[in-house]
Amino acid sequence: QKCDANNVYLLRYLAFSQFETSDFVSGLANSDAFFAKATPDTKIVPKDYEYRAKLLSKNNKDSLAIIEYKKAMELQPDKVELNGDIANAYIKLKKYNEAIEAYKVKMAKVKPNANDYFGIGRAYYYNKDFINADSAFAKIILVQPDLPLGHLWRAKANTQLDPKNEKWSAKAFYEAYISKIKPEEVEKNKKDLIDAYTYLGVYYMNNKDVCTAKTYFKKVA
């Protein structure tokens, strides 16, 4: 069978494959072309909207991406995990209340994983709801105790909950975070490790343990 280069469905599969190969600009262009050439006879499937949404998000057009995700969900209401993608798009737009609600919808219907807890925790954190943020990050530790992420973000949340360091609430979480970092992960975690070392250095200085404080401050240098 001869291949028809003008076949509208070729544009669909080009857009799909270009997303998978990280060619997001061309992928979006082909998705645009697919929908522009689609006729009433063209069979639009949920994946057309899903991939279009993902491509829009990768091109920093998150408001439009949310619209496409919602179209995909209208055609497949059971695919509740798309609420996680919608929530991520809302976080990029700094619409944290909307992100939280989208995560709640997903997590009510699908067993939450560490990514879900991190996502909703981050939304709470940036929304300055540090108590709920801390609770969400605690769930990450419960699900994946060896993952540094949960310990780090509990430290961040507790730093905000104890801004004057009256209780040094973040200390145990920063210590746990440092202990979970493997040697090969040190470089990519450098910025957060510096925050942890600085916090602990200040803690020991305040507790008159100059020697221990110095060991942490040397790591910052």
Side-chain angles (χ1 to χ4, degrees), residues 43-59:
K43 185 165 175 55
I44 306 287
V45 296
K47 276 201 180 304
D48 291 320
Y49 294 118
E50 268 186 59
Y51 271 95
R52 180 162 177 73
K54 290 176 180 178
L55 286 160
L56 283 162
S57 188
K58 290 293 186 183
N59 282 278

Side-chain angles (χ1 to χ4, degrees), residues 114-141:
N115 284 334
D116 296 321
Y117 290 127
F118 179 54
I120 197 169
R122 224 168 23 132
Y124 279 128
Y125 182 89
Y126 291 126
N127 212 33
K128 303 195 185 308
D129 182 350
F130 302 117
I131 292 173
N132 275 317
D134 186 47
S135 298
F137 299 137
K139 295 275 179 61
I140 300 176
I141 297 170

Side-chain angles (χ1 to χ4, degrees), residues 104-115:
K104 282 181 177 176
V105 171
K106 181 189 176 189
M107 293 163 80
K109 295 182 180 178
V110 179
K111 187 180 179 183
N113 56 32
N115 284 334

Side-chain angles (χ1 to χ4, degrees), residues 71-209:
K71 287 178 187 173
M73 286 199 69
E74 280 172 25
L75 296 176
Q76 45 183 1
D78 291 337
K79 197 163 183 185
V80 291
E81 60 267 27
L82 286 180
N83 281 290
D85 296 297
I86 291 169
N88 281 331
Y90 276 129
I91 285 175
K92 284 171 72 181
L93 292 167
K94 299 184 178 178
K95 292 186 174 182
Y96 304 120
N97 284 322
E98 291 89 338
I100 290 162
E101 289 312 308
Y103 272 119
K104 282 181 177 176
V105 171
K106 181 189 176 189
M107 293 163 80
K109 295 182 180 178
V110 179
K111 187 180 179 183
N113 56 32
N115 284 334
D116 296 321
Y117 290 127
F118 179 54
I120 197 169
R122 224 168 23 132
Y124 279 128
Y125 182 89
Y126 291 126
N127 212 33
K128 303 195 185 308
D129 182 350
F130 302 117
I131 292 173
N132 275 317
D134 186 47
S135 298
F137 299 137
K139 295 275 179 61
I140 300 176
I141 297 170
L142 209 62
V143 175
Q144 286 189 254
D146 290 328
L147 198 68
L149 198 70
H151 303 282
L152 170 65
W153 280 84
R154 281 210 79 182
K156 286 175 181 281
N158 277 274
T159 299
Q160 297 296 331
L161 288 167
D162 180 29
K164 293 182 179 177
N165 292 329
E166 290 167 333
K167 298 176 184 174
W168 295 97
S169 304
K171 177 179 178 283
F173 303 118
Y174 271 132
E175 287 171 337
Y177 166 65
I178 292 167
S179 75
K180 302 294 177 188
I181 298 291
K182 297 171 185 170
E184 64 272 20
E185 296 170 337
V186 168
E187 194 55 39
K188 70 175 182 181
N189 285 277
K190 196 171 181 179
K191 182 180 177 295
D192 291 316
L193 282 169
I194 286 171
D195 288 344
Y197 296 144
T198 303
Y199 181 95
L200 292 168
V202 173
Y203 167 81
Y204 283 107
M205 281 297 288
N206 271 265
N207 282 273
K208 309 290 189 285
D209 185 345

